[in-house]
Amino acid sequence: MRVFFFVCILVLGFCKPPELRNACDPNAFSLEDKLVSDLLLQSIPQLNTEVLQFLFPDKVILCASNPTNRGPFSLSGRVRGLTSQSITLTSGTNPPESLVINPGATTFAFPSKFTRGNSFNLTVSEHSQGLCYVVNGQGTLVADVNNISVVCVEPLAYSGLSSWYRADSLNLGNGASVSSLNDLSPNNNHLAGSGAIFSSTGINGKPSINLLGNTLERSIASGLGGSSFSILIVFKRLGGSGTEEYVFFMGDNNSGCPAGSVALSIQDGTSGEIGVQTPCGAYMINPTPALAVHPSDSSPKLLQVKYLYAPTGNSIRYAMLNGAVAISGSATDIVYSNPNPYVQIGNYPAGTKPSQVSVAELLYFNRFLTEDESLQLDCYLAKKYEFAHATTCQ
């Protein structure tokens, strides 16, 4: 019986006049066309588009084996963290569609629908106060897609941001001297100095500032006090120049080893290490081989260090380098509190330990970030500066 039906369909299919349209097109106007397709697919469900194409070699078959899922389809999803400005989302389809997403939005949906088989690759416009990126934003439409996420990270939206320095905030040509660097936080702890050099492609193709034994500094900074901190910094070594090189320092410019200071320093010893410490005192973040950056290692680094002071018991220390947790545990209590400290990136003058580093971005929080906040901000920098672990950011 099935063979007889199949032969009848073959005869019907090949004997139809030339105006036979794609029977699987939901907009087809020919009732005969639709009957041919429906009878085929209902009688022999395992038939697919390749078989239909064989039966109608001079036609274009667009439908799937499930005739109820022909499209067109929608693209939609959720938005997280967009608070300060509008962004534009582009579909990457053919033809492309654009959608403006306003601050405060939690969802999005393109007003247009897209044909089956259309590829999509969502991209988002630049964000002057941070970065937005797309998760689950690529594929081919065979059904409605509603699991796309637009994730925005805006550092100013996180409480406790006391200083924020970005090389890409400078409007300079490659090789130009850097005499000042604005603090983008509300504290306006702007830095000044001489000798630093602007590199337009210093860190994975993004701008950075080369500090070659010099410093950008501020003698009195506000809003950095407290007994806990979180620091995120994107940097790389430019070569070894001594036993110790400062990348970031906060404390007293005159005494050299004051209690209540924070120094992010690169050690130049046999193992190499990064340490956050009170100078000439105990480490807040103990140096370990897992945090090693050897003098010959000039690859970019994304470092995050945190310290949570506990007035009783042990304080908490945490460090993550290039997306991998290197330290997570307790520490002996170390109190530091300097309400108006000296702040610098690069060489610490009283320490006479010249830096040879390039710095792209530094964020300083006067509190211990939560785990979610740490991951969000790490992903912000990883995506922006194209670190390998950025692909895992969700």
Side-chain angles (χ1 to χ4, degrees), residues 5-156:
F5 173 77
F6 191 72
V7 171
C8 290
I9 294 301
L10 279 173
V11 173
L12 177 62
F14 287 112
C15 294
K16 289 185 63 60
E19 68 270 13
L20 174 65
R21 293 194 60 200
N22 172 14
C24 301
D25 186 344
N27 298 315
F29 54 78
S30 168
L31 178 59
E32 288 181 283
D33 294 348
K34 190 163 180 58
L35 284 173
V36 169
S37 174
D38 288 350
L39 286 172
L40 272 172
L41 293 172
Q42 290 172 18
S43 176
I44 313 174
Q46 63 268 32
L47 285 179
N48 54 27
T49 56
E50 289 78 10
V51 176
L52 289 173
Q53 188 69 71
F54 173 78
L55 295 176
F56 302 99
D58 58 340
K59 312 302 172 192
V60 178
I61 304 298
L62 295 177
C63 68
S65 23
N66 175 9
T68 65
N69 197 20
R70 300 169 178 141
F73 302 116
S74 61
L75 284 173
S76 62
R78 62 175 184 160
V79 181
R80 186 175 75 214
L82 183 63
T83 64
S84 65
Q85 67 182 70
S86 297
I87 56 173
T88 300
L89 190 64
T90 305
S91 65
T93 55
N94 185 19
E97 296 280 345
S98 294
L99 175 67
V100 175
I101 304 177
N102 293 316
T106 57
T107 61
F108 76 89
F110 283 94
S112 300
K113 291 197 172 184
F114 306 91
T115 58
R116 183 184 181 86
N118 203 338
S119 296
F120 62 95
N121 182 12
L122 274 66
T123 55
V124 65
S125 59
E126 291 187 1
H127 191 311
S128 64
Q129 298 299 315
L131 181 77
C132 295
Y133 59 91
V134 181
V135 179
N136 298 326
Q138 294 179 298
T140 301
L141 284 156
V142 294
D144 291 337
V145 176
N146 56 18
N147 67 335
I148 303 170
S149 293
V150 177
V151 181
C152 298
V153 182
E154 303 172 1
L156 286 171

Side-chain angles (χ1 to χ4, degrees), residues 274-358:
I274 294 175
V276 179
Q277 64 187 102
T278 55
C280 303
Y283 279 85
M284 294 179 179
I285 308 294
N286 282 343
T288 71
L291 283 174
V293 180
H294 295 268
S296 60
D297 184 357
S298 60
S299 61
K301 307 298 178 186
L302 168 49
L303 175 69
Q304 178 177 171
V305 293
K306 302 192 298 182
Y307 180 76
L308 177 63
Y309 171 72
T312 60
N314 284 333
S315 301
I316 303 299
R317 61 167 68 119
Y318 175 92
M320 183 162 62
L321 183 65
N322 289 6
V325 176
I327 295 173
S328 181
S330 59
T332 304
D333 296 330
I334 302 172
V335 179
Y336 91 92
S337 182
N338 192 333
N340 299 296
Y342 162 85
V343 172
Q344 62 87 43
I345 56 174
N347 180 40
Y348 174 47
T352 63
K353 297 168 181 177
S355 64
Q356 299 287 322
V357 296
S358 188

Side-chain angles (χ1 to χ4, degrees), residues 135-381:
V135 179
N136 298 326
Q138 294 179 298
T140 301
L141 284 156
V142 294
D144 291 337
V145 176
N146 56 18
N147 67 335
I148 303 170
S149 293
V150 177
V151 181
C152 298
V153 182
E154 303 172 1
L156 286 171
Y158 295 75
S159 65
L161 180 61
S162 299
S163 288
W164 181 17
Y165 303 108
R166 287 172 27 191
D168 63 359
S169 68
L170 297 171
N171 185 19
L172 297 173
N174 187 52
S177 296
V178 178
S179 58
S180 63
L181 182 61
N182 284 346
D183 176 14
L184 303 179
S185 84
N187 291 319
N188 296 318
N189 292 318
H190 308 317
L191 305 179
S194 62
I197 302 298
F198 183 77
S199 174
S200 58
T201 58
I203 302 288
N204 287 340
K206 304 296 191 301
S208 66
I209 299 170
N210 293 342
L211 296 144
L212 306 169
N214 44 53
T215 184
L216 291 169
E217 60 189 2
R218 183 176 183 84
S219 58
I220 298 177
S222 62
L224 276 67
S227 296
S228 301
F229 66 84
S230 300
I231 303 171
L232 294 97
I233 185 169
V234 176
F235 74 101
K236 69 177 182 181
R237 298 191 73 149
L238 296 174
S241 65
T243 58
E244 185 175 19
E245 299 181 29
Y246 283 92
V247 181
F248 171 82
F249 177 82
M250 183 181 79
D252 187 331
N253 186 30
N254 297 315
S255 62
C257 291
S261 299
V262 177
L264 171 56
S265 59
I266 303 174
Q267 308 294 323
D268 208 14
T270 55
S271 63
E273 53 195 32
I274 294 175
V276 179
Q277 64 187 102
T278 55
C280 303
Y283 279 85
M284 294 179 179
I285 308 294
N286 282 343
T288 71
L291 283 174
V293 180
H294 295 268
S296 60
D297 184 357
S298 60
S299 61
K301 307 298 178 186
L302 168 49
L303 175 69
Q304 178 177 171
V305 293
K306 302 192 298 182
Y307 180 76
L308 177 63
Y309 171 72
T312 60
N314 284 333
S315 301
I316 303 299
R317 61 167 68 119
Y318 175 92
M320 183 162 62
L321 183 65
N322 289 6
V325 176
I327 295 173
S328 181
S330 59
T332 304
D333 296 330
I334 302 172
V335 179
Y336 91 92
S337 182
N338 192 333
N340 299 296
Y342 162 85
V343 172
Q344 62 87 43
I345 56 174
N347 180 40
Y348 174 47
T352 63
K353 297 168 181 177
S355 64
Q356 299 287 322
V357 296
S358 188
V359 176
E361 190 157 344
L362 185 149
L363 299 97
Y364 183 94
F365 295 84
N366 60 11
R367 66 180 180 90
F368 189 88
L369 295 169
T370 67
E371 182 178 358
D372 283 346
E373 290 171 331
S374 292
L375 293 176
Q376 290 162 13
L377 288 163
D378 188 82
C379 280
Y380 154 68
L381 293 173

